[in-house]
Every structure is written in structure tokens, then in C-alpha cells.
Amino acid sequence: GRATTSILDPNLLLQQAVDLIKDRFDLYYAGLFLVSGDREWAVLQAGTGEAGKAMLARGHRLELGSSSMIGWSIANAQARIAQVASEDEVRVTAPELPETRSEAALPLRSRGQVIGAISIQSERPNAFDQTSLSMLQLMADQLAVAIDNARLYVESQQALEAERRAYLARTQVDWQTWLKSRRELS
């Protein structure tokens, strides 16, 4: 939580978050999905290791709804756990992650809405107990707020820059008008 709340660059925040989650919880893989603008897809934004790089390079995304653990988690605003991954009926197997034996999808909830989900995967079956899942969900909720804050910061900086450019352009026009009027009086 502390590590993510101080980062205001959304891309850096997402990658550092999945790297920290993977390392701190001794996971095989961690990936972070955000909901697309049309609210039809969960789009992978950050993933760990070579598998994450490969999936990002191919534009990995999952349809929202019940067609995947991530899609189900986002649509239902709840965690979905597959203690034995091969037995979960909605789990989508990624070819880049052949060693996954258990998986959890945790929704990213902020300001009353689900903005995405985190996929955490382990090489061990039954890897997630209730305590670790509760802790991971709390961390996911904190991360969602940090993502929202980073987005709002970027949007406010862009709005401020647009306002500054508009003010500068208006000032230039006013000065040119004033100079022209002074020349006409001379």
C-alpha cells in the first residue's frame, strides 16, 4: 500500500504493483487488467516476467462476464479462486503460463466501481488460504484507489497544461491587438 500510494505515473504504478505482489507473496505470476473504455474487455496493462512481456506484446485481453476468471471477477465484483486451476470451468489458460496450478482473480474496486482485476497465479495447488486472500483483496482495493488517484493526477495536469496554453494564446492575441492599436494611433 505504501509503495503504490506515492507513485503518480500510472504505467510505473501498475508494473511496480505486479512486481511487488509477485515477489512479496512468492507467486509464479501476477498480472493487472483494467476495464476498457467501452466496458467490454479487461485489458492486460502489466504482467510479471517473460510471460507478462509476451502477453502485453500480443495485446492480451479478456471479455468481461463469465468467459474467464478475470472477466467473472470484474462482472461480479468478487474474487474468484481456483485452488486447482485445471478444474475451474471459466478459467482461460494462457499458453505463456503452463506451470499454473492455482489462481485467483481479485477485483480492483475504487469509488464504488470495479476498474479492473489482478490475476495471481501459483505453481502450487491450493496455494491461497483465506488469510492471504483477504490481505490480497485489501491490497487490491488500495491499489485501485492509487490507480484512480494517478489517473486523476494525469488528467488534472493535462487540463492545467491546456488551460496554460489557452491563456498564453489569448494573452498573445491581446498584446498583438494592443500593439496594433498603438501603431494606428501613432
Side-chain angles (χ1 to χ4, degrees):
R2 257 181 281 133
T4 59
T5 56
S6 63
I7 301 170
L8 294 174
D9 176 341
N11 295 325
L12 180 62
L13 170 64
L14 301 179
Q15 191 59 52
Q16 282 196 356
V18 294
D19 289 340
L20 279 169
I21 292 166
K22 179 188 177 293
D23 292 343
R24 299 274 164 84
F25 290 92
D26 190 30
L27 298 168
Y28 172 53
Y29 174 79
L32 191 145
F33 293 79
L34 293 179
V35 175
S36 63
D38 61 9
R39 299 211 49 88
E40 291 185 23
W41 300 96
V43 182
L44 183 67
Q45 300 293 314
T48 57
E50 292 304 314
K53 288 178 189 173
M55 288 188 286
L56 285 165
R58 71 173 164 86
H60 185 59
R61 66 184 187 162
L62 299 165
E63 193 171 6
L64 296 186
S66 62
S67 61
S68 68
M69 288 184 65
I70 290 291
W72 187 95
S73 177
I74 291 170
N76 292 283
Q78 297 177 39
R80 183 172 183 106
I81 297 95
Q83 292 290 13
V84 180
S86 61
E87 295 177 4
D88 191 275
E89 65 272 4
V90 300
R91 182 175 180 272
V92 174
T93 304
E96 295 87 353
L97 299 165
E99 302 302 319
T100 298
R101 298 297 173 261
S102 56
E103 179 177 356
L106 305 163
L108 293 167
R109 303 177 295 216
S110 178
R111 295 175 176 86
Q113 116 180 44
V114 179
I115 63 169
I118 297 174
S119 172
I120 55 172
Q121 301 181 27
S122 176
E123 296 169 305
R124 299 177 316 273
N126 301 306
F128 306 113
D129 63 18
Q130 195 56 47
T131 302
S132 65
L133 286 170
S134 295
M135 188 180 305
L136 282 161
Q137 185 60 65
L138 177 62
M139 180 265 330
D141 291 340
Q142 290 175 340
L143 179 57
V145 171
I147 291 168
D148 260 357
N149 287 343
R151 282 182 178 170
L152 290 171
Y153 176 77
V154 168
E155 288 172 9
S156 69
Q157 291 301 304
Q158 290 169 341
L160 185 61
E161 180 59 24
E163 185 69 26
R164 187 191 67 75
R165 283 193 305 267
Y167 178 77
L168 180 61
R170 183 68 212 168
T171 302
Q172 287 175 334
V173 167
D174 289 348
W175 273 107
Q176 289 170 352
T177 303
W178 183 78
L179 288 172
K180 183 179 176 187
S181 71
R182 296 294 296 165
R183 277 183 268 189
E184 289 172 358
L185 290 175
S186 304

